[in-house]
Amino acid sequence: MAHRVPAAFAAQTSYFATHLFWQAAGLMLIGMAFFKAGVLSALRSRAFYVTMAAFGFGVGILLNALGIWRSFATGWDLLDFALVSQQLHYWGNLFVALGWTALVMLLCQRGWPLRSLTAAGRMALTNYLMQSVICTMIFYGHGLGLFGRVDRVGQLAIVIVIWAFQLLASRAWLGYFAVGPVEWVTRWLVFGRRPIFLRSSPAVAGT
């Protein structure tokens, strides 16, 4: 906590003003443009999405691989990581995101319902906060205290387990409730009226 508190404060103030705000706003604008162009609605041709997936995964994986190689080659030097490896990972992740987007659109075009992904998306804020709670319980002192003790393979396994749990839990939750718990509270606060919570409500059944 002695490390995390000042780091979190910096991230929410100076780092947010100089970096995070512009990054998030830029990505939102790109997403809005994709949506307006029909890319995120599975309206483009199959060839378009195949090309997008191949290009995204191909370039993204290559850049990320170069970033990992560079980090190991320099012994994870902090300055070199910030100037070179981190940049390779950042742009590589953007291209990989394009690849995943295209893959999901291809599955939608083939009629795959992807109900678990849909449910997780409808509970995005709940899942985001849940990940924070789960991971602090794993890594922080008030939980298992495994910070700095899990290797790369173990970290990947934790990610997979958490995501699998959240995909299943989100779908199960929305089988009984209309929205996620945090989304329900947020809508109540924003709109000033209590939204429907249970799926058994006639209003929900009618939709």
Side-chain angles (χ1 to χ4, degrees), residues 1-15 136 140 142 147:
M1 294 301 294
H3 168 76
R4 291 293 294 155
V5 169
F9 180 79
Q12 302 301 327
T13 53
S14 60
Y15 190 68
T136 56
Y140 279 27
H142 60 262
F147 181 81

Side-chain angles (χ1 to χ4, degrees), residues 85-183:
S85 299
Q86 189 175 41
Q87 300 304 314
L88 290 171
H89 291 313
Y90 177 77
W91 293 104
N93 289 340
L94 289 180
F95 282 105
V96 170
L98 293 179
W100 282 115
T101 299
L103 180 60
V104 170
M105 293 302 102
L106 285 170
L107 294 176
C108 289
Q109 285 185 341
R110 295 181 65 87
W112 288 38
L114 302 176
R115 293 189 181 92
S116 294
L117 287 177
T118 302
R122 290 176 56 193
M123 295 177 56
L125 183 56
T126 294
N127 282 319
Y128 175 80
L129 295 175
M130 187 191 304
Q131 285 182 9
S132 298
V133 173
I134 293 174
C135 288
T136 56
M137 292 299 297
I138 293 174
F139 295 108
Y140 279 27
H142 60 262
L144 299 177
L146 296 181
F147 181 81
R149 301 182 182 181
V150 182
D151 59 18
R152 300 294 180 183
V153 176
Q155 293 172 24
L156 180 60
I158 290 173
V159 170
I160 293 174
V161 170
I162 292 176
W163 261 107
F165 166 74
Q166 290 192 312
L167 288 172
L168 296 174
S170 297
R171 186 172 178 182
W173 176 274
L174 291 179
Y176 297 95
F177 302 97
V179 294
V182 181
E183 287 75 12

Side-chain angles (χ1 to χ4, degrees), residues 10-23:
Q12 302 301 327
T13 53
S14 60
Y15 190 68
F16 175 81
T18 59
H19 182 83
L20 292 180
F21 171 79
W22 307 101
Q23 178 186 20

